[in-house]
Amino acid sequence: MLLFDIFQIQNDISVSSGQIYNSGMKKKNVLFITTDQQQKATMGCYGNNLIETPHLDALAQSGIVLDRAYCENPICIPSRNTMITGRKSIHHQATVHNSSLPDNEICLGDYLKQKGYETHFIGKPHFKSQQEEGTEESLEDWRNGLYDNWNGPYKGFNTAEIILGHSNPLTGHYGKWMKSRHKDKIKHFAKENLNPADVSCGQGVFLTNIPEEVHSSTYVGDRTSAYLKKMAVSEKPFYCFCSFPDPHWPLMTPPQYYKMYNDCPIDTSYEPLEKDPNLENYPDNIKKYMKTGRMSDFDGGGHKVTENRDIETITRAYWGAISLIDKNIGRIMKTLEDEGLRDDTLVIFTTDHGEYMGAHGMMAKGGVCWEEYINVPFIASFPGIINANTRCDGLFSFTDIVPTILDFLGYMEEKGLPAMPFDGISQKSLLQGDEKHTRRSLTVHHAKSTLSSSASDQHVLIRHDGWKLIYHAGEKGGQLYNLINDPKETRNLYNLTDYSDIQAKLITELMDTLILEINKKPIIESLNSDDQYTCHVMTREVWGDELYQE
């Protein structure tokens, strides 16, 4: 990688893209916070008056809330790699769950390190497959002790403190922390100490006795706060990526957080897919799903809801996990403030992709790019630079994250060329309240994970005027919606005569956008997973007596 000259950023900047800064002026910091699989409608600032998210709501009030932010690919690994590269998944080549980011990809941290930044990762990375041996995220290699003394570097981060799986207490730095400080509490994660909730869909809900102080969300809050305190006495600026593993399945919240919503009324209403009069023009994978109840050809494999009470049970556990995350985000933000770092730090909050959570009668993720799955929460706060208590309905793609951060730091260009090979655009002006929205459209790519002929890759085009096309490659059927008239996507307009002109126009626009993109995704014969995510549930057969050491 090229070594770049170091530009300095003045302490009270409010500057245009590409401006070069004089040396001796203070640089700005970046704190990037993400969750895993969080539906947008799970925060007060997005209209949910029942869930308790006071700290995320306070962050929203201190900055801007985006209503139309979209992940570029709604699967953990591809989405997270777009967050750190600014590239579409078909370009960085990690397009499905079993794929990994190639080592030659340039990440935001790589660039910022050349600018004098300390870069640090905390939490769940998922930049590589955890089933692939010989990588920093290999569950097997961590179990065999191959990474006992490893603390980075990793994907542009000087140092890393990682969590593998979902709340797995025996691997990664989280596992080392548990073994050294809380060995007597590991047993609470053992399968026989987890009480499965009575639900017929989803991928595992457990009523637990896991203490809050050893939960993965608490670990992320602890370690992020500790890192911020360290950087408060450093002369270097920082880029810290803080990643909570929750509220991804399996849901294993501490008991007090599950019980928070026991008496809360949960809306279980949804428009059944079967009521759409245009069923014949849906793609094959949806027709197959209506017969089988599973989106079996896509990572996550969305489940059909069979009983409304399941929505209530799962939602309570899901909201509890989010409230625990919110508490720890509050701790992190307090540390940022107490240590005098707040005014010099760009804070971004988002998630890697959404969750159906009962919408359209579906649970979990994977299979259909409904809005609940791809339209994600996004908050940005930067005192004195981003106006407080604002929101915007302009389009924002995850490919825009890297160039937008670079623009706020003053590093969009190097000698007249883009600073990094990103695919997105800077949305700095959008976050600063420019009403002239930069994007007129964006695309989302959802790749199938098997060789099945009954499903195909989905390419989504979303336009600023509310039209949304989900194009299923090689199929006669598809999906077409007008999100202004039909925000819940209950009426598919694909192949209907009255909408043939707009459909043809959108397909042409999508093809023009995608024409130069080459799909190099790895592909497998079939998915090797089950409904309960048992690789993340601790069993004696897999983990042995280490689970029970006092």
Side-chain angles (χ1 to χ4, degrees), residues 278-309:
N278 192 26
L279 283 178
E280 63 178 321
N281 285 312
Y282 273 99
D284 289 343
N285 71 302
I286 292 182
K287 294 176 181 177
K288 177 182 176 182
Y289 156 80
M290 293 178 69
K291 295 178 180 179
T292 65
R294 286 295 308 276
M295 288 287 181
S296 56
D297 297 309
F298 291 85
D299 292 315
H303 297 223
K304 190 173 185 179
V305 173
T306 56
E307 298 184 43
N308 281 2
R309 65 179 180 84

Side-chain angles (χ1 to χ4, degrees), residues 27 38 77 87 92 114 144 175 208 292 301 315 390 420 475:
K27 295 181 179 180
Q38 182 175 350
I77 287 178
R87 284 158 62 77
H92 64 56
Q114 304 301 330
N144 291 331
T208 80
T292 65
T315 298
T390 56
M420 288 176 58
E475 295 198 36

Side-chain angles (χ1 to χ4, degrees), residues 46-62:
Y46 279 106
N48 188 329
N49 297 320
L50 299 175
I51 194 169
E52 295 184 22
T53 54
H55 303 293
L56 282 167
D57 296 341
L59 181 63
Q61 290 174 358
S62 73

Side-chain angles (χ1 to χ4, degrees), residues 28-61:
K28 299 297 184 178
N29 309 306
V30 179
L31 175 59
F32 191 93
I33 305 172
T34 185
T35 57
D36 192 333
Q37 199 163 322
Q38 182 175 350
Q39 191 188 85
K40 189 176 76 172
T42 55
M43 298 158 58
C45 60
Y46 279 106
N48 188 329
N49 297 320
L50 299 175
I51 194 169
E52 295 184 22
T53 54
H55 303 293
L56 282 167
D57 296 341
L59 181 63
Q61 290 174 358

Side-chain angles (χ1 to χ4, degrees), residues 363-426:
M363 192 62 68
K365 66 178 180 183
V368 188
C369 289
W370 305 117
E371 288 294 285
E372 292 83 2
Y373 185 30
I374 63 175
N375 182 0
V376 296
F378 195 98
I379 300 169
S381 176
F382 205 170
I385 297 174
I386 294 176
N387 292 331
N389 201 27
T390 56
R391 66 189 313 131
C392 178
D393 65 354
L395 292 173
F396 186 99
S397 166
F398 269 20
T399 60
D400 301 336
I401 289 173
V402 166
T404 299
I405 291 174
L406 287 171
D407 202 357
F408 272 111
L409 301 182
Y411 296 133
M412 270 294 286
E413 295 182 352
E414 291 284 348
K415 299 180 180 179
L417 297 174
M420 288 176 58
F422 46 74
D423 293 322
I425 59 174
S426 170

Side-chain angles (χ1 to χ4, degrees), residues 99 139 304 389 501:
S99 57
L139 283 167
K304 190 173 185 179
N389 201 27
D501 288 347

Side-chain angles (χ1 to χ4, degrees), residues 15 54 62 83 214 261 545:
V15 297
S62 73
M83 288 178 179
V214 299
Y261 298 103
D545 291 335

